[in-house]
Amino acid sequence: MPPARPVTSAYSAAHFGVDLGCAYAIFRWVPKTALVFLIYNFCAFALQMPLGVLADRRRSGLPFAVSGSLTVAVLCLSPDPGLPGCALLGLGNALFHVGGGLDVLRLTGDRAGPLGVFVSPGAIGLFCGTLLGKGGYPPVLAAALALGTGLLPLLPRRAPAGRPEERPLPGREVLLPALLLFAVVVLRSWAGLAGQFSWKTGLYSLLAVLALALGKTAGGLLADRFGARPVSALSLLAAAGLFLPGDFSPAGLAALLLFNMSMPITLWALARRLPGHEGFAFGALTFALFLGFLPVYLGTGAFGAAELALASLLSCLLLTAGLRERRAR
C-alpha cells in the first residue's frame, strides 16, 4: 500500500487543478444561465453518491480520479459545448472527487487531518479558475493545470490501495448520527452560499477564500489533536459570535475560517461509521452540498449576520450530537 502522506499531497494538488479547470470552463462558456449552474451542480455533487457506491467495489479510487481530471482537461479546451458539455464537466468533477476522497479516507481513515488537507485546495482552485475564465485566458493554460495536477496521484503509487472486506451497511444505530451529519452539511452549504458580507470584494475576496481553505485544513488537524467534539463545538460557537459583527472584515474572515473547520470532521465522522463504504459516505455528504445549493438557486435570499450566527449555532448542536459516541451496554 502506498504511503499516506504522498498520496494525500498528490490528491490535494490535483484537487486544486481540477476545480480550477471546472471553474474556468464554466465561466468561459457563454451565455450563463441558471440551468447551466443547476445541471453542473447536480452532476458534480449529487452524482457522487451513486459513483461512491461503485468506487467502494474497487481496490483503488485512482481510475475514477484520473478519468475525471482527463474529462475536465478536455472540456477546458472545447468551445462552448452547451448543456451536454456542462453535464460532462460536472461528471468529471464528481469522478475526481469520489476517487480522491475514497483513497484518502482508506489510507488515513483514523484521522481527519488528511481529509482537511485534501478538501481545502478546492476553494482556491475555484477562485483562480473563475478569474482565468472571466479574464479570457487561453484554454490551454487551464487544461494543462487540470491535466498536469490531475495526474499527480499516479506518482506515489507503488501498489494499489487495499480494498477492505465488503461489509453490510450498519443498522439503525448509525442512522440518527448519519442524518445529523448530513443535516450539518446541508446547512453549511446553504449558509456558505447565501452568506453576504459588504467587504467581500477585491483583495478581500481572496482573503475570504484563503480563510475557507485554512479553516478546513486546521479543523481536521486540530480534531486529531484535541478531539472532534470539542473542536467542533468551540469553533462553531466562536464563529456564531464573530458572524454578528461580520461586516467588520477581520471578524468576518475569522468567522469564515472557524465555520469551515467542521467540514473535514463531518466527512471523517460519517466514513468512520460506515467502514467499507467510504465512497458512499463521501458521496452522501456531497449530495448534501447539492441540497444546500437548491434554496439559493431557488432564490430564498441572502443570509445576514443574524442568520449566519443562527446557522452556526444550529450546526454546533447538530454536529456535537452526531459525533456523540454510543455507549456500550
Side-chain angles (χ1 to χ4, degrees):
M1 184 179 293
R5 184 172 294 179
V7 170
T8 301
S9 299
Y11 272 123
S12 300
H15 193 181
F16 167 82
V18 169
D19 277 15
L20 180 150
C22 288
Y24 174 86
I26 283 288
F27 284 98
R28 173 172 163 256
W29 295 340
V30 290
K32 304 298 174 295
T33 66
L35 186 58
V36 165
F37 288 101
L38 177 64
I39 290 175
Y40 171 77
N41 279 283
F42 175 81
C43 294
F45 297 104
L47 289 186
Q48 287 191 45
M49 187 161 61
L51 288 173
V53 174
L54 294 175
D56 282 329
R57 301 174 180 274
R58 306 278 304 189
R59 290 180 59 85
S60 168
L62 189 63
F64 286 77
V66 171
S67 62
S69 65
L70 285 169
T71 301
V72 172
V74 168
L75 286 165
C76 284
L77 295 171
S78 303
D80 185 358
L83 295 181
C86 184
L88 279 174
L89 185 70
L91 178 61
N93 181 296
L95 285 166
F96 170 79
H97 283 79
V98 164
L102 175 65
D103 278 357
V104 173
L105 280 167
R106 282 186 180 170
L107 289 170
T108 62
D110 292 333
R111 292 177 291 149
L115 269 175
V117 173
F118 169 62
V119 298
S120 59
I124 302 173
L126 289 173
F127 180 82
C128 295
T130 301
L131 291 180
L132 292 176
K134 290 181 176 180
Y137 285 85
V140 67
L141 174 61
L145 285 169
L147 181 59
T149 57
L151 296 180
L152 284 176
L154 289 168
L155 298 180
R157 289 284 167 156
R158 292 195 293 269
R163 178 185 170 190
E165 61 180 271
E166 292 188 15
R167 305 182 193 180
L169 285 168
R172 286 180 294 178
E173 71 278 2
V174 172
L175 181 60
L176 179 58
L179 289 174
L180 291 170
L181 295 170
F182 189 88
V184 169
V185 178
V186 173
L187 184 57
R188 187 197 309 123
S189 174
W190 186 7
L193 292 170
Q196 299 292 325
F197 296 98
S198 59
W199 48 263
K200 200 174 173 184
T201 58
L203 176 61
Y204 281 103
S205 296
L206 173 60
L207 293 178
V209 170
L210 294 176
L212 293 177
L214 182 59
K216 293 171 186 178
T217 301
L221 295 173
L222 290 174
D224 289 340
R225 174 78 172 169
F226 300 107
R229 288 191 79 203
V231 169
S232 298
L234 290 173
S235 62
L236 289 169
L237 287 173
L242 288 165
F243 273 132
L244 292 174
D247 276 336
F248 176 55
S249 57
L253 287 168
L256 287 174
L257 186 152
L258 291 161
F259 187 64
N260 282 276
M261 284 175 62
S262 63
M263 183 179 181
I265 296 173
T266 52
L267 285 170
W268 165 83
L270 186 58
R272 186 166 169 262
R273 283 165 171 76
L274 299 172
H277 302 279
E278 293 86 358
F280 170 74
F282 194 94
L285 292 187
T286 56
F287 180 65
L289 291 176
F290 175 73
L291 294 183
F293 155 79
L294 286 179
V296 180
Y297 176 79
L298 295 173
T300 54
F303 278 23
E307 291 86 357
L308 288 169
L310 181 60
S312 192
L313 288 174
L314 184 55
S315 295
C316 180
L317 293 174
L318 293 170
L319 184 52
T320 52
L323 291 172
R324 185 178 293 122
E325 295 291 341
R326 185 168 177 266
R327 294 181 181 178
R329 295 184 179 181

